[in-house]
Amino acid sequence: GNSVTQMEGPVTLSEEAFLTINCTYTATGYPSLFWYVQYPGEGLQLLLKATKADDKGSNKGFEATYRKETTSFHLEKGSVQVSDSAVYFCALCNQGGSEKLVFGKGMKLTVNP
Amino acid sequence: EAGVAQSPRYKIIEKRQSVAFWCNPISGHATLYWYQQILGQGPKLLIQFQNNGVVDDSQLPKDRFSAERLKGVDSTLKIQPAKLEDSAVYLCASSLGITGTEAFFGQGTRLTVV
């Protein structure tokens, strides 16, 4: 079945550090890929997405590229801020059928000033 | 645009009691999801509706959990009887149901079973 594996945290970084959160997936067909973020005390919200191979999603300085050959969708940001402290979830949605949305376990990021 | 509404926000019950959660999705969204998120884990899909039909309920513990989507709009999730391990945040989400479109989440209901 479809599944998502992402690096587990928690991770603590200093402000302006480079961030990479690894995410790999297993899926039949060609899923859409997402990164969701959960800020403290708030609900899950979409950070970025990519719907086909080689697409790059970007938002708020974060980027992720849909790599079909390595079945990966790693999240990167060149310079993190304190306000990026949150839990990050990688997710996939299989296309052309049930549109089932499957999540990874999430990674908690803390950014210190 | 109004978001996904859930109620209640918090609920504390004793084990073996019953509880119900309510969700009102974004208007026009055909797909509705219920997820269970245990502390420190990712959301686990319990049930997915497309309009008022069930698409996937393979991970719903059907001996105690039930869900329905009335007229393809609002949905309720019920637990009867509750167990200690049901303590979690229950998230409702909705989407257009079109390939590549994202799901929008409600704030969730935090359930504590004591």
Side-chain angles (χ1 to χ4, degrees):
Chain A
N2 295 344
S3 66
V4 174
T5 302
Q6 62 176 111
M7 62 184 286
E8 296 186 25
V11 169
T12 301
L13 296 175
S14 297
E15 206 165 24
E16 298 183 4
F18 183 83
L19 170 71
T20 299
I21 305 176
N22 290 338
C23 171
T24 57
Y25 67 89
T26 302
T28 53
Y30 303 99
S32 296
L33 301 173
F34 305 87
W35 277 100
Y36 281 82
V37 60
Q38 193 168 33
Y39 297 105
E42 299 186 18
L44 273 167
Q45 56 186 275
L46 180 70
L47 179 61
L48 53 82
K49 69 177 183 181
T51 58
K52 61 183 187 296
D54 300 324
D55 267 3
K56 178 187 282 188
S58 61
N59 185 25
K60 298 182 181 180
F62 290 87
E63 291 183 340
T65 301
Y66 189 142
R67 300 286 187 201
K68 182 172 162 236
E69 63 276 12
T70 55
T71 61
S72 65
F73 193 54
H74 304 322
L75 183 69
E76 296 183 336
K77 185 171 186 181
S79 176
V80 293
Q81 305 300 311
V82 173
S83 56
D84 294 325
S85 297
V87 182
Y88 293 82
F89 294 93
C90 186
L92 71 82
C93 186
N94 62 307
Q95 299 185 23
S98 65
E99 305 291 327
K100 183 175 175 179
L101 183 60
V102 176
F103 284 84
K105 292 185 177 181
M107 198 210 75
K108 182 176 181 180
L109 170 68
T110 301
V111 180
N112 292 323
Chain B
E1 175 182 276
V4 176
Q6 288 188 248
S7 68
R9 287 294 311 276
Y10 305 93
K11 191 74 177 178
I12 301 174
I13 60 171
E14 295 182 351
K15 59 184 179 184
R16 292 187 289 274
Q17 286 187 322
S18 62
V19 64
F21 312 126
W22 174 81
C23 174
N24 186 10
I26 293 173
S27 177
H29 280 194
T31 302
L32 186 147
Y33 308 87
W34 281 103
Y35 288 88
Q36 180 193 59
Q37 186 177 18
I38 293 173
L39 187 65
Q41 298 182 21
K44 169 189 159 186
L45 180 66
L46 292 176
I47 189 167
Q48 177 183 343
F49 293 93
Q50 183 78 7
N51 296 309
N52 60 349
V54 175
V55 173
D56 189 318
D57 63 356
S58 56
Q59 297 194 87
L60 186 73
K62 298 180 186 65
D63 58 334
R64 298 184 301 106
F65 286 63
S66 64
E68 61 179 2
R69 188 176 185 193
L70 305 172
K71 299 180 181 178
V73 182
D74 292 9
S75 178
T76 55
L77 176 70
K78 297 179 182 177
I79 307 175
Q80 181 179 13
K83 292 184 176 181
L84 296 176
E85 59 260 36
D86 298 332
S87 295
V89 176
Y90 290 84
L91 298 168
C92 179
S94 70
S95 75
L96 285 170
I98 298 171
T99 295
T101 57
E102 66 265 29
F104 293 82
F105 283 79
Q107 291 281 77
T109 297
R110 182 176 297 278
L111 173 67
T112 302
V113 182
V114 298

